[in-house]
Amino acid sequence: MKECHHVTKLNSTEDEKKAGPECLQCEEECTKPRPSGCPHRCVLPCHPGDCPSCLQMLKIKCHCKLSILYIECLKLTCADLKEKELLTSCKNQCPKELPCGHRCKEICHSGSCPQNCSQKVKLRCLCKRLKKEIQCSQIKEGQVSLECDALCKEMKRKASEIKEAEAKAAVEEEKRRQQAELEAFENRLKGRRKNKRRKDEVEVEQSSWQKYKNLIMLPMFGVAVVMVAWLMVYND
């Protein structure tokens, strides 16, 4: 920044391009290119030679986006692809869900989850008696099936026979119940008819007496009066 001035020549041939003690020191920031992936500036002002290693911390999310990681910039920028994969992993189980509905078993990773689910699931036969544990991916691909054995078929046949016998017994019981209800209804109906017949006979008897009692009672009353008079006359 000074005007043209005298500069003391240095003895070393390597220092011919360097400024002498009479020149001002450069106070500009270091503008040298940074390592690939490093977003930080050099911590030194304008200087000769290489920049010092960047020791600042990077704040990044892991592959599954659930955890925040703090990593030295130098470690991340100097790492290869495999090392970067490990550095940016939170080391927890991947929270993503596979198409089959199970959780991914891999540790926090980049990219898509593996489609071969290793979760153990229970496979049963049609009658649910036999069971077997196999990998979920094998069921999805249709590689494994569990058929009923001879014992399953025999048990199924016996269960069917028992069910048919119970159904038949239920039908018979319903028939008996209906028959009993019918007989009870007929007995009640017969009893009502008998009571009605007796009532009609009593009413007929009462009505005949009411009809002829005057004709019977008047002559008897007259006879009684005559006999009383004759007794009175005879005693006198």
Side-chain angles (χ1 to χ4, degrees):
M1 299 299 293
K2 292 183 178 179
E3 294 181 357
C4 184
H5 60 87
H6 174 75
V7 176
T8 302
K9 186 177 180 180
L10 300 178
N11 297 328
S12 176
T13 56
E14 297 179 358
D15 296 335
E16 291 180 354
K17 295 182 180 180
K18 291 184 178 181
E22 295 84 6
C23 297
L24 294 176
Q25 293 293 326
C26 181
E27 297 178 355
E28 298 292 328
E29 293 181 351
C30 176
T31 57
K32 292 181 179 181
R34 304 297 295 159
S36 177
C38 178
H40 308 115
R41 292 181 179 180
C42 179
V43 295
L44 299 178
C46 181
H47 63 88
D50 296 332
C51 297
S53 300
C54 182
L55 301 179
Q56 296 194 51
M57 302 298 289
L58 286 174
K59 179 182 177 182
I60 60 174
K61 286 188 176 181
C62 65
H63 299 299
C64 59
K65 310 300 181 185
L66 296 180
S67 301
I68 301 297
L69 304 178
Y70 293 90
I71 307 171
E72 284 187 9
C73 184
L74 175 64
K75 290 183 179 180
L76 192 62
T77 54
C78 296
D80 56 18
L81 292 178
K82 187 177 181 179
E83 290 175 343
K84 285 183 178 179
E85 176 76 15
L86 294 174
L87 285 172
T88 53
S89 172
C90 63
K91 307 299 186 297
N92 295 321
Q93 183 181 350
C94 177
K96 297 176 184 177
E97 187 176 283
L98 300 177
C100 62
H102 296 127
R103 185 177 174 182
C104 177
K105 294 292 186 180
E106 299 293 327
I107 300 300
C108 177
H109 61 88
S110 60
S112 301
C113 297
Q115 296 302 311
N116 293 330
C117 179
S118 60
Q119 177 73 31
K120 293 288 185 179
V121 295
K122 291 182 179 179
L123 179 65
R124 293 181 179 271
C125 63
L126 291 177
C127 68
K128 310 299 183 183
R129 189 183 73 85
L130 299 177
K131 63 181 180 179
K132 182 180 179 182
E133 285 192 354
I134 59 173
Q135 285 188 356
C136 176
S137 57
Q138 293 180 344
I139 294 180
K140 184 179 179 182
E141 295 171 0
Q143 298 176 358
V144 180
S145 61
L146 188 59
E147 301 294 337
C148 290
D149 59 6
L151 181 57
C152 290
K153 294 177 181 179
E154 181 65 19
M155 292 177 64
K156 185 177 181 181
R157 183 185 64 79
K158 289 182 179 180
S160 179
E161 291 177 355
I162 293 173
K163 188 174 181 180
E164 290 178 359
E166 291 177 350
K168 186 176 180 180
V171 171
E172 294 295 332
E173 180 66 24
E174 182 65 19
K175 287 182 179 180
R176 286 195 294 269
R177 187 184 64 80
Q178 292 178 357
Q179 183 65 28
E181 290 181 355
L182 180 60
E183 291 176 357
F185 176 74
E186 290 177 350
N187 292 334
R188 288 196 300 270
L189 188 61
K190 289 179 181 179
R192 290 178 183 176
R193 288 176 180 174
K194 288 181 181 179
N195 293 334
K196 186 177 181 182
R197 191 180 298 113
R198 290 175 182 174
K199 185 177 180 181
D200 292 342
E201 291 176 356
V202 171
E203 288 179 353
V204 169
E205 292 177 357
Q206 289 180 353
S207 61
S208 298
W209 167 252
Q210 292 293 335
K211 183 177 180 181
Y212 297 106
K213 73 177 181 177
N214 291 332
L215 296 176
I216 295 173
M217 293 298 295
L218 285 176
M220 290 179 66
F221 182 73
V223 171
V225 170
V226 172
M227 289 183 67
V228 170
W230 181 79
L231 290 172
M232 291 177 65
V233 172
Y234 180 78
N235 291 329
D236 290 340

